[in-house]
Amino acid sequence: MRSESASLLAIAAMAGVTYATRAGGLWLARRVTLPAFVQACLRHTPGAVLVAIVAPAVLAGGVPALLASAATVLVAARTGRALLAVGAGVAAVWALRALG
Amino acid sequence: MSEAERTAVAFTGRGALVGARLAVPFVVGSLAYGVVFGVLARQKGIGGGEVALMSGAVAAGAAQFVTLELWTHPLPVLGIVLTTLLVNLRFLLFGVSLTPWLRGLSPRKTYGSAFFLYDESWTLAMSRFHAGERDAAVLLGSGAALYAAWVAGTVLGHALGGRVPDPEAWGLDFLFTATFLTLLVAFWEGRRRSLLPWVVSAAVALLASRVLPGGWHIALGGIAGSLAGGFSRAE
C-alpha cells in the first residue's frame, strides 16, 4: 500500500474507533437500565477519575509539583476562585522549577 | 431523580457559552500541546494535510501522541488503530457516567455532543451537573472550544516546524493538573464518603501509569475508585 493511502486509512480508522468509544458509553447506557450497584459506583466516578488524572502528575512530579498542587488546592478551597487557584499553581511550579 | 426531572434538560447557546468560558484554562493548554504535536508530527514526516485531518477527525491528544511513536514506514496500521482504541477506552466510562444528565436529549444532540467528549470537557460537564446545571450544551460548548484549540495548535505547530517547544519550561504542563485540581475540590464529599475511593484510585492510577501506556491509568484508577466507593456503601 502506498504510504499516503496507508496514512489516510490509519487516520480514518483511528477516527472511527475513537468516536465509537465516545458514543459507545452513551449508546449503551441509554438502552439498558444500569443495576443499582453500578449506579452506586458511578456516583463516585467523577472524583475517582479526576484523582486518577492528577495523581501521577502530582505525586511523580517531584517537590515542585507537590507544593504547587497543595497551593492550588488551598487557594481553590479558601477562595472558590478557580482561575486564581490555577494561576497560583502554575506560578508556583514555574518558580519552584526555576529555583530548583 | 423523577421522570420529569430527568427529561427537563435544556440545550441552549447559553449553556454552550458557559462551557466554552469554563474551558479557557484547558484551551490554553490544548493550544500549547497542539503546537507540540504539530511540530513532532512534522518531524515524523507527516504532511500538513494529514496532521490537520488527524487532529480534526480523531481529536484525541493522548492517543495521537502515543501513536506518533508508532508512525514508521511501512505503517503498522493495525497496531496504530488498536493502540488508539486502547488509549481511548476510558471514553466509554465517561459516556456511561454522563448518561443521567443527557438522557432527555435527542439522539442527534447526544451523538453530536459525543464527538466533543474529552477528559477536560467531560470533567467540566460533570462538575457543572454536580453543581446543579441542567443545560446539556455545556459539554458541547467546552468540547468545541478545546477542539478548535487543539486543531489550530496542530496546524500552527506543523507550519512553524523547528524545535519542539517545551511547555514544562513555562509550567504549562501543570496548567492541566492545576485546573483538574480546582475541579476536584468541588467533588470532595467528606472523609467518610470520598477518602477511600480517592486513595484507591490514586494508588491504582500511580501503579498503572508506570506500567501501562496511554490513558489507561485514568480508566483503571477511575474504575477501581468507583468500585471501592460502591462496595463501601457510604451513601
Side-chain angles (χ1 to χ4, degrees):
Chain A
M1 192 184 289
R2 281 181 339 129
S3 69
E4 252 169 35
S5 324
S7 290
L8 289 176
L9 177 65
I11 292 169
M14 285 170 76
V17 299
T18 304
Y19 183 75
T21 61
R22 288 180 166 137
L26 292 167
W27 179 85
L28 183 72
R30 275 162 85 92
R31 255 155 195 71
V32 307
T33 315
L34 300 169
F37 174 71
V38 173
Q39 291 187 41
C41 292
L42 284 174
R43 278 191 270 278
H44 294 272
T45 299
V49 167
L50 268 171
V51 167
I53 290 173
V54 301
V58 169
L59 293 166
V63 172
L66 203 54
L67 288 177
S69 299
T72 307
V73 169
L74 268 168
V75 175
R78 290 280 158 86
T79 70
R81 310 244 330 256
L83 286 179
L84 188 66
V86 170
V90 173
V93 84
W94 177 80
L96 288 164
R97 282 176 184 165
L99 289 172
Chain B
M1 253 189 295
S2 69
E3 194 62 57
E5 283 173 305
R6 260 218 314 257
T7 52
V9 58
F11 192 88
T12 72
R14 179 205 74 88
L17 280 174
V18 166
R21 199 176 51 82
L22 287 169
V24 164
F26 289 129
V27 166
V28 175
S30 294
L31 186 67
Y33 275 92
V35 170
V36 173
F37 182 76
V39 173
L40 283 173
R42 182 170 166 155
Q43 286 180 355
K44 287 275 177 176
I46 299 177
E50 285 169 343
V51 81
L53 187 65
M54 194 192 299
S55 285
V58 180
Q64 286 178 242
F65 274 111
V66 172
T67 56
L68 205 53
E69 302 299 311
L70 305 172
W71 217 271
T72 56
H73 296 287
L75 204 65
V77 176
L78 192 58
I80 285 170
V81 176
L82 267 174
T83 303
T84 304
L85 176 63
L86 288 174
V87 171
N88 290 334
L89 277 179
R90 67 189 185 283
F91 292 141
L92 284 172
L93 177 64
F94 292 175
V96 171
S97 64
L98 265 175
T99 303
W101 313 113
L102 306 185
R103 213 180 262 278
L105 276 185
S106 67
R108 193 170 61 94
K109 287 170 180 161
T110 303
Y111 296 117
S113 297
F115 181 72
F116 300 101
L117 188 60
Y118 315 122
D119 298 340
E120 298 85 359
S121 57
W122 176 81
T123 301
L124 283 170
M126 291 300 280
S127 81
R128 290 314 302 156
F129 297 144
H130 182 73
E133 177 69 70
R134 287 299 175 267
D135 194 324
V138 169
L139 177 68
L140 178 68
S142 59
L146 292 162
Y147 177 79
W150 175 247
V151 174
T154 301
V155 170
L156 186 65
H158 190 277
L160 290 175
R163 257 186 25 204
V164 182
D166 182 17
E168 285 186 33
W170 296 89
L172 281 182
D173 60 320
F174 195 75
L175 186 58
F176 285 100
T177 306
T179 311
F180 281 124
L181 280 170
T182 63
L183 294 167
L184 187 59
V185 167
F187 280 108
W188 177 253
E189 287 172 82
R191 263 183 295 204
R192 205 178 75 90
R193 201 174 144 68
S194 301
L195 188 61
L196 177 68
W198 288 22
V199 167
V200 169
S201 169
V204 171
L206 280 166
L207 188 63
S209 67
R210 279 167 203 239
V211 296
L212 295 170
W216 272 84
H217 65 279
I218 298 175
L220 289 176
I223 290 170
S226 301
L227 283 170
F231 275 117
S232 74
R233 291 151 150 249
E235 295 303 322

